[in-house]
Amino acid sequence: MRSYAIGDVHGQHAKLVGAHELIAADRARTGDAEAPVVHLGDYVDRGPDSKAVLDILIAGLADGAPWILLKGNHDDMMRDFLDPIVPSGEAARWLTDKVGGRQTLASYGVSVASLRAADRLRKEACKTVPSGHRDLLETLRPSYRRGEVFFCHAGIRPGIPLDDQSERDLIWIRDEFLLDPRDHGALIVHGHTPGERVVHCGNRVNLDTGAGYGGPVSVVVIEGRAVWQLTPDGRVPVRDVR
């Protein structure tokens, strides 16, 4: 059972296009046009063109591409910012430098000068961000399971059945998951915590290679529980580092 997975994107439009090109080349080698491509979330923030990233995802789904789109914490914060029901103080955290929401708004042509109040930015964003983009953010999935692999953005809470995981843990958890060596009943494929390379820890595989900080958008192919990173030179095995 073959699946593809793409790590955190963070507004890196060209790098996402490159990841899909690597998948297309692997499909050509295998003759498999149907294996799903699981996107692990964090499509927006920090990078230069979050709008174009969401445009790609929407267009692919409209064309019938076998894509699964998972929710990342940054995508959820953007959704909250565009939801008038969410209190303004909670929504405004998306605009902080650490998160990177201002870069996302700039990709839509919203002026993000530092002196502009968060409430004014919010009103303009609600008028400027296309309804199709808001709809996409509302429909992102918290997780996806296929065969021996469980895909999510951040990880899972150890000791809790996979079907009972909370959405908050699936998009936010870190150390409780990352430091736990137990088998979780499936290979957990995730992003969220950036590193210099794709890492296979036996019970989990981390695909976040720091696109939000100038690193690559990494892509793998998984067959059973075997994992290969896709490169311009073909497949490279991702070895278990335990």
Side-chain angles (χ1 to χ4, degrees):
M1 185 175 289
R2 179 179 296 115
S3 304
Y4 296 95
I6 296 175
D8 302 43
V9 179
H10 283 297
Q12 297 290 347
H13 165 262
K15 294 177 182 179
L16 177 61
V17 171
H20 281 288
E21 289 173 348
L22 293 174
I23 291 172
D26 194 75
R27 288 194 191 281
R29 286 189 289 268
T30 63
D32 184 350
E34 303 300 325
V37 179
V38 184
H39 300 71
L40 297 180
D42 276 7
Y43 311 112
V44 301
D45 297 347
R46 298 180 180 149
D49 210 342
S50 293
K51 177 183 182 297
V53 168
L54 296 188
D55 282 337
I56 285 178
L57 299 177
I58 291 169
L61 292 178
D63 288 343
W67 293 357
I68 306 296
L69 303 186
L70 301 187
K71 178 189 294 187
N73 58 307
H74 284 261
D75 314 312
D76 201 45
M77 284 188 281
M78 181 179 178
R79 185 202 68 80
D80 283 352
F81 189 79
L82 297 171
D83 184 349
I85 296 177
V86 176
S88 58
E90 180 180 343
R93 64 178 179 159
W94 184 58
L95 299 175
T96 62
D97 291 342
K98 182 178 180 180
V99 175
R102 287 179 182 270
Q103 289 93 321
T104 297
L105 290 181
S107 74
Y108 288 92
V110 175
S111 172
V112 292
S114 59
L115 296 179
R116 299 198 70 195
D119 285 345
R120 291 188 63 187
L121 284 174
R122 195 178 192 188
K123 289 178 181 178
E124 185 174 346
C126 289
K127 294 177 180 178
T128 305
V129 176
S131 60
H133 288 208
R134 298 196 297 271
D135 291 344
L136 180 72
L137 295 172
E138 292 284 355
T139 59
L140 298 175
R141 301 171 58 159
S143 65
Y144 175 68
R145 186 166 187 174
R146 188 166 193 257
E148 302 177 68
V149 186
F150 183 90
F151 302 89
C152 56
H153 174 65
I156 57 101
R157 185 162 295 277
I160 303 296
L162 295 178
D163 289 341
D164 296 332
Q165 294 288 322
S166 74
E167 180 174 301
R168 179 167 181 82
D169 281 337
L170 291 168
I171 68 174
W172 280 102
I173 199 167
R174 276 208 168 96
D175 286 352
E176 301 96 324
F177 165 64
L178 299 174
L179 300 178
D180 195 299
R182 288 177 287 179
D183 185 270
H184 302 301
L187 179 66
I188 310 300
V189 176
H190 67 96
H192 185 55
T193 301
E196 294 182 356
R197 59 188 176 87
V198 173
V199 176
H200 192 322
C201 297
N203 61 349
R204 64 180 182 86
V205 178
N206 184 3
L207 301 191
D208 184 353
T209 47
Y213 304 100
V217 172
S218 291
V219 55
V220 298
V221 59
I222 306 166
E223 295 172 357
R225 290 181 68 136
V227 183
W228 293 265
Q229 187 167 2
L230 299 185
T231 76
D233 297 320
R235 295 186 179 194
V236 175
V238 180
R239 306 293 186 188
D240 184 341
V241 297
R242 288 177 302 175

